Amino acid sequence: MRSPQRLIVQAGQILDQCVNLTAEQQHYLYHVLRLKVGDELWILDGQGQRWLGEIQKNTVKLLHPDCPETELDAEIILCLALLKAANFEQVLQQATELGVKRIIPIQTARSLLQPTAHKYQRWQRILQEATEQSERLYVPTLSDPLSVTEMVSLTPKGYVASLNASPLLWDCLPQMDLSQPIYLAIGPEGGWTDSELGQVLRAGWQAFSLGRRTLRAVTAAIASVTIVSHYTERHCTTAQQH
């Protein structure tokens, strides 16, 4: 049996166990998903709550809460250089599917993208749709862009991808404190400048390698998040069992 469709709503839309649907949401449910009155779907607030709901005319009646454990126990924060729009959006989608909690755009010397308010609205929709698709309970937070200087001020224990680093990311995993946020920094196409990388390393961040091949920024971002996500999935679960 096919699982019900999923829809993220704002907390303010929920009143007396009913969700007041916007015109856009009604169009999406009735004309895009081809659902009808009486059909069931999952309602999420993007902040950790999920309910099974039943579609009524302009509302969804909440039947009962149901919150599966789909979130990582570790908090992965992706510091991602502003790439070309399509590449940046690809990482937003796939990083969300892999469990990233927060994404911080980084303005670097080689960044090409200058995000506008319209871009941010589009990116929020991408994050929301990826959250629905992957059955997550939380929509990742998308921060305002930071400079490299502002990025390294966040923590002295971040990890930065570098073509010239010697330790593989896999070899850095055992030293990560999974009870604390894990910051992963991915540079732009062409890599960090020598000045930027030097600044990051002097601030105490650990450089890591993804192998002997030169990867595109999109590939590096997804590979890094995948490795850390799967590691935390295994080791956080193991720690809880003990």
Side-chain angles (χ1 to χ4, degrees):
M1 181 177 178
R2 185 178 180 182
S3 174
Q5 298 284 352
R6 296 167 289 279
L7 179 69
I8 294 178
V9 302
Q10 299 298 315
Q13 294 179 248
I14 303 174
L15 181 65
D16 297 331
Q17 294 301 300
C18 279
V19 178
N20 295 310
L21 298 172
T22 65
E24 183 180 2
Q25 289 168 340
Q26 291 177 47
H27 174 81
Y28 176 67
L29 294 180
Y30 296 135
H31 301 288
V32 177
L33 298 181
R34 302 293 183 181
L35 298 178
K36 58 185 183 299
V37 172
D39 285 344
E40 294 182 343
L41 79 162
W42 294 115
I43 294 293
L44 304 94
D45 66 357
Q47 299 298 318
Q49 297 297 317
R50 187 179 85 156
W51 300 265
L52 183 64
E54 180 182 271
I55 298 177
Q56 299 183 346
K57 185 176 181 181
N58 299 320
T59 64
V60 174
K61 180 181 179 182
L62 300 181
L63 302 178
H64 60 80
D66 186 306
C67 300
E69 295 183 5
T70 57
E71 295 295 321
L72 295 175
D73 292 309
E75 182 178 356
I76 301 175
I77 299 175
L78 177 61
C79 299
L80 179 64
L82 285 162
L83 312 174
K84 291 182 180 180
N87 294 341
F88 192 84
E89 291 172 3
Q90 181 182 348
V91 177
L92 290 183
Q93 176 184 342
Q94 294 179 317
T96 299
E97 295 174 16
L98 289 165
V100 163
K101 293 288 179 64
R102 181 180 171 195
I103 299 170
I104 305 176
I106 305 299
Q107 188 71 56
T108 73
R110 292 175 176 148
S111 293
L112 300 176
L113 182 61
Q114 298 291 336
T116 62
H118 176 73
K119 279 290 184 188
Y120 259 80
Q121 292 174 355
R122 174 177 169 80
W123 292 348
Q124 291 290 356
R125 289 197 300 271
I126 290 171
L127 294 174
Q128 180 171 311
E129 290 169 2
T131 299
E132 293 172 345
Q133 183 274 323
S134 57
E135 300 193 50
R136 290 188 58 183
L137 297 180
Y138 289 88
V139 178
T141 301
L142 181 63
S143 303
D144 291 333
L146 298 182
S147 66
V148 173
T149 299
E150 291 168 329
M151 178 187 79
V152 298
S153 70
L154 297 173
T155 174
K157 297 181 179 179
Y159 298 86
V160 56
S162 170
L163 290 173
N164 299 319
S166 55
L168 293 170
L169 177 56
W170 183 260
D171 294 327
C172 297
L173 296 175
Q175 72 188 47
M176 292 183 178
D177 183 354
L178 302 185
S179 67
Q180 298 297 318
I182 300 168
Y183 287 80
L184 296 175
I186 306 297
E189 298 295 349
W192 309 96
T193 65
D194 291 341
S195 175
E196 289 170 338
L197 185 59
Q199 181 181 3
V200 174
L201 297 181
R202 286 192 300 272
W205 288 48
Q206 169 70 58
F208 67 84
S209 168
L210 289 166
R212 291 172 291 177
R213 292 150 300 283
T214 300
L215 306 181
R216 298 291 299 272
V218 170
T219 308
I222 300 308
S224 300
V225 173
T226 299
I227 291 169
V228 177
S229 172
H230 284 203
Y231 181 83
T232 61
E233 193 92 59
R234 167 65 64 85
H235 288 272
C236 285
T237 302
T238 300
Q240 289 176 349
Q241 290 174 346
H242 289 84

